[in-house]
Amino acid sequence: MQVAFHRLSSVARSLSTTPRNMSTVHTSKPKPFVLYTAGTPNGRKVSVFLEELRAVYGEKVDYDVQKINISRNDQKEPWFIKLNPNGRIPVLVDRAREDFVVFETAAILLYLEQHYDPERKLGFDPVSQPNEYSEMLQWMLWAHGGVGPMQGQANHFNRFAPEDIPYAKKRYILETKRLYGVMEIRLTDRDYLAGPGRGVYSAADINVFPWLVPSLINVHQFAGIESLDEWPSLEMWLGRINARKAVQDGLTIP
């Protein structure tokens, strides 16, 4: 009896550790996705995109959330590295497609757009709208290689570096401002980054918006940029997107 008790206790301990931090335990049919995320600009890109899709398609794109504590380095644990060898959030697991795993924010947004937005509410058809689709890709990749990394470095040297390095702080703040200026040029006389006319709200906007979002904290201020007054078209674009209900819902996750 005592041996059996010890065995049951061991099993219970192992079950209590996997999976960790799942937001809700469901006894009904599992939701189509699991989103492993944290409250960072990159994490919120995906939760905002999912909420926008959910507003259109309902439960077809519903998802469970597993919060990853990046200050505790959950993303470096072996179970997470199996999902993303790069050890970064967010990661999306598509239960509806044999638990297919997608990492990197731009890749996740494009995956969701390809498979779960048949009406192209958040993107463009690569066959019938090749130019608009290319514009969307251009701005997504520009943000993925520019705003995120540069503003991330500004965050680090202004908030977390163990020593004060004025050159690094100045370099990354100035580069972030330059990138804001690129968006200002694009958004002059436009509402959104990609699409015909004044533009169409799309993955291109969602992929960069959380790096400037004024909800929760002013992310640009966290990077050392006190005001967006220097970029009025960018500021109007930001307010336009921030007013969307699905965006606000996505910003609360996790």
Side-chain angles (χ1 to χ4, degrees):
M1 179 68 73
Q2 189 173 14
V3 172
F5 174 78
H6 285 307
R7 286 177 178 172
L8 287 171
S9 298
S10 176
V11 171
R13 284 194 301 271
S14 67
L15 289 174
S16 69
T17 61
T18 55
R20 295 192 292 268
N21 299 325
M22 189 67 75
S23 59
T24 310
V25 176
H26 298 277
T27 56
S28 58
K29 182 180 178 181
K31 295 179 181 180
F33 304 106
V34 183
L35 175 62
Y36 298 84
T37 191
T40 69
N42 283 334
R44 289 189 170 121
K45 293 179 189 182
V46 180
S47 57
V48 166
F49 200 87
L50 282 166
E51 288 298 321
E52 290 282 11
L53 287 177
R54 207 159 69 93
V56 178
Y57 302 108
E59 294 183 359
K60 293 180 181 178
V61 286
D62 207 356
Y63 59 103
D64 287 314
V65 176
Q66 183 160 337
K67 183 177 180 180
I68 301 300
N69 188 332
I70 57 178
S71 64
R72 195 175 61 198
N73 275 336
D74 286 357
Q75 74 279 12
K76 305 300 182 184
E77 294 287 339
W79 68 270
F80 190 90
I81 294 298
K82 288 180 181 178
L83 297 173
N84 180 4
N86 196 37
R88 296 287 190 273
I89 63 94
V91 170
L92 186 75
V93 176
D94 187 347
R95 289 168 168 155
R97 299 187 71 246
E98 299 180 341
D99 289 336
F100 188 75
V101 178
V102 194
F103 61 87
E104 290 295 331
T105 52
I108 295 172
L109 267 55
L110 289 169
Y111 175 87
L112 289 168
E113 175 61 22
Q114 176 186 0
H115 293 285
Y116 294 99
D117 186 15
E119 298 178 23
R120 298 293 183 244
K121 296 293 187 181
L122 298 173
F124 307 95
D125 188 283
V127 176
S128 63
Q129 299 172 291
N131 292 351
E132 290 83 358
Y133 182 78
S134 178
E135 280 187 351
M136 182 181 75
L137 282 184
Q138 290 171 51
W139 284 103
M140 289 182 74
L141 297 179
W142 171 83
H144 201 69
V147 176
M150 295 302 102
Q151 190 166 323
Q153 291 296 326
N155 290 347
H156 174 77
F157 285 107
N158 277 278
R159 302 289 178 174
F160 304 114
E163 58 183 296
D164 185 33
I165 307 176
Y167 168 77
K169 291 163 72 172
K170 181 179 179 181
R171 169 182 169 79
Y172 290 112
I173 288 175
L174 287 177
E175 179 59 10
T176 301
K177 286 184 173 182
R178 186 191 72 80
L179 293 166
Y180 287 6
V182 173
M183 294 183 70
E184 177 69 20
I185 293 169
R186 178 61 172 173
L187 291 166
T188 300
D189 300 324
R190 289 182 65 91
D191 294 330
Y192 300 106
L193 290 171
R198 296 189 63 88
V200 177
Y201 179 61
S202 73
D205 302 288
I206 297 171
N207 191 56
V208 66
F209 163 80
W211 282 102
L212 298 96
V213 61
S215 297
L216 307 179
I217 63 168
N218 284 323
V219 180
H220 60 85
Q221 290 181 346
F222 195 77
I225 300 171
E226 290 302 319
S227 170
L228 296 177
D229 292 347
E230 188 176 339
W231 307 279
S233 298
L234 174 63
E235 197 165 25
M236 287 189 291
W237 168 86
L238 192 64
R240 196 175 296 123
I241 297 174
N242 200 45
R244 297 176 66 92
K245 182 182 184 303
V247 169
Q248 288 301 310
D249 290 342
L251 291 174
T252 65
I253 294 167

